[in-house]
């Protein structure tokens, strides 16, 4: 039996299969590392999380467990911090 992790994405509660959660967590950690120090980093991170929530809600209700396959079907992330965001203090 697969484990389930309760998470909040953009303020919306979801239940995610543990394997899917691991993928999502790695992706969001990479995003936070890349944009965390950028001038508009917090806004970018919030927008990305909101888009992830939108993509999930386009496929299913938030009360349904989000399968790993749905997380895997999301677009692959672009390389983070390739000059589009300025660091704080720049």
């Amino acid at each position: 039996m697969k484990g389930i992790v309760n998470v909040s994405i953009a303020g919306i509660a979801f239940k995610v299969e543990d394997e899917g959660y691991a993928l999502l967590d790695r992706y969001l950690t990479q995003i936070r590392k890349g944009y965390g120090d950028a001038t508009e980093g917090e806004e970018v991170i919030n927008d990305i999380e909101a888009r992830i929530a939108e993509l999930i809600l386009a496929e299913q209700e938030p009360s349904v467990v989000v399968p790993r396959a749905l997380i895997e079907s999301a677009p692959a992330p672009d390389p983070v911090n390739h000059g589009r965001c300025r660091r704080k203090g720049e």
Side-chain angles (χ1 to χ4, degrees):
M1 181 175 174
K2 296 182 180 188
I4 305 297
V5 179
N6 293 311
V7 297
S8 175
I9 304 171
I12 302 171
F14 292 99
K15 296 174 184 168
V16 182
E17 286 182 358
D18 56 359
E19 293 175 349
Y21 173 77
L23 293 172
L24 183 61
D25 186 54
R26 278 194 301 271
Y27 173 72
L28 291 174
T29 297
Q30 180 183 16
I31 295 298
R32 287 185 190 104
K33 284 180 184 177
Y35 287 103
D37 291 335
T39 304
E40 298 89 17
E42 190 69 28
E43 183 178 352
V44 171
I45 293 165
N46 290 338
D47 288 347
I48 291 170
E49 285 191 12
R51 183 62 181 142
I52 291 169
E54 288 174 5
L55 291 170
I56 293 170
L57 291 172
E59 295 294 322
Q60 63 184 52
E61 294 294 318
S63 59
V64 177
V65 175
V66 179
R68 176 185 174 144
L70 181 56
I71 301 296
E72 288 176 330
S73 70
D78 289 333
V80 176
N81 255 350
H82 41 79
R84 286 193 268 172
C85 288
R86 291 177 288 140
R87 298 274 177 203
K88 290 178 184 172
E90 288 183 3

